Amino acid sequence: MKTDFTMLLGFKAALFQGLLTTLKLTLICIVLGCVLGFFVGLARGSGSRWLRGTTRLYVEFFRGTPVIVQLFWIFFCLPLVLGVELSNLTSAVIALTLYMGAITSETFRASLRSVGREQLDACVALGLPKRIQVANVILPQALLRSIPTLLSNCVSLFKESALVSAVGMADLMFVGQNISNNTARPIEVLTAVALIYFAIAFPLTRAVTGVERRLLSKLAA
């Protein structure tokens, strides 16, 4: 069968709408996941053995199991456990947020450990409340040191978001699959979908390298 990529012009609006859904979902889960990951990272360094153990179990579970399995469990099993209905959007947000929280918590934990102990001792000596220490001393430095890895995590989440098509969410992958099935043109459609993902992920990946170089030079100065 001869390929004809011009046929995609008739579906550009649908593909664009699917891309918007993917980007919105990714952005929501990035924000929620980073907030969750920061607090989990703090808890991993807590003096409470129970809190450290619980958060470690959470991180190891969500880093050590496939995201598709997590998504399916939340979509199909969690409603049975809770006795409530969950939409595919809600299930996708929960699954990707928990995954993002797990991978970013390790990023934050490493950056939090890099904050000099003498600065924390100075905060204690000045009598600063714990929330002031976190907000004004620990958080800014931790964020600065974690930016390159966080950007890499964001790119990973963007690519993993394609899995939500498996639960019927109309993201870019789901729209592409539908167009492919209806037109019997999988080569053209799926190639276009892959190129769209690449066109967004590749510049971000290059940006990570640039940010990392600038950050290293700044920290070395």
Side-chain angles (χ1 to χ4, degrees), residues 29-211:
C29 295
I30 284 174
V31 173
L32 296 178
C34 284
V35 172
L36 175 62
F38 178 73
F39 285 106
V40 171
L42 280 177
R44 292 291 302 275
S46 167
S48 168
R49 181 179 299 180
W50 180 87
L51 190 57
R52 289 200 313 270
T54 302
T55 51
R56 181 180 180 182
L57 179 63
Y58 155 69
V59 171
E60 295 300 333
F61 177 82
F62 280 93
R63 290 179 65 201
T65 56
V67 180
I68 188 68
V69 175
Q70 300 166 17
L71 178 61
F72 278 175
W73 196 93
I74 291 171
F75 183 70
F76 292 109
C77 302
L78 189 58
L80 299 177
V81 174
L82 299 179
V84 296
E85 286 191 20
L86 295 178
S87 67
N88 49 14
L89 173 60
T90 303
S91 300
V93 170
I94 293 173
L96 294 184
T97 296
L98 290 174
Y99 170 73
M100 186 68 173
I103 61 176
T104 56
S105 69
E106 291 299 281
T107 301
F108 282 120
R109 187 165 76 101
S111 60
L112 287 168
R113 293 178 67 179
S114 69
V115 177
R117 182 66 197 179
E118 66 279 0
Q119 298 185 48
L120 300 179
D121 291 339
C123 290
V124 174
L126 291 171
L128 296 178
K130 190 67 176 180
R131 59 185 179 82
I132 300 297
Q133 295 180 35
V134 172
N136 293 0
V137 178
I138 299 175
L139 180 58
Q141 296 185 66
L143 283 176
L144 183 63
R145 288 172 166 83
S146 63
I147 285 174
T149 310
L150 283 179
L151 288 175
S152 295
N153 293 339
C154 292
V155 175
S156 297
L157 186 70
F158 170 68
K159 292 184 289 186
E160 293 287 356
S161 70
L163 296 173
V164 302
S165 63
V167 293
M169 189 168 173
D171 70 327
L172 177 60
M173 187 63 196
F174 182 85
V175 172
Q177 286 176 320
N178 279 350
I179 296 173
S180 172
N181 293 336
N182 291 331
T183 61
R185 291 280 184 175
I187 296 176
E188 293 89 337
V189 178
L190 296 181
T191 299
V193 169
L195 289 175
I196 292 171
Y197 277 106
F198 177 77
I200 295 175
F202 180 71
L204 291 175
T205 303
R206 300 305 300 168
V208 171
T209 304
V211 169

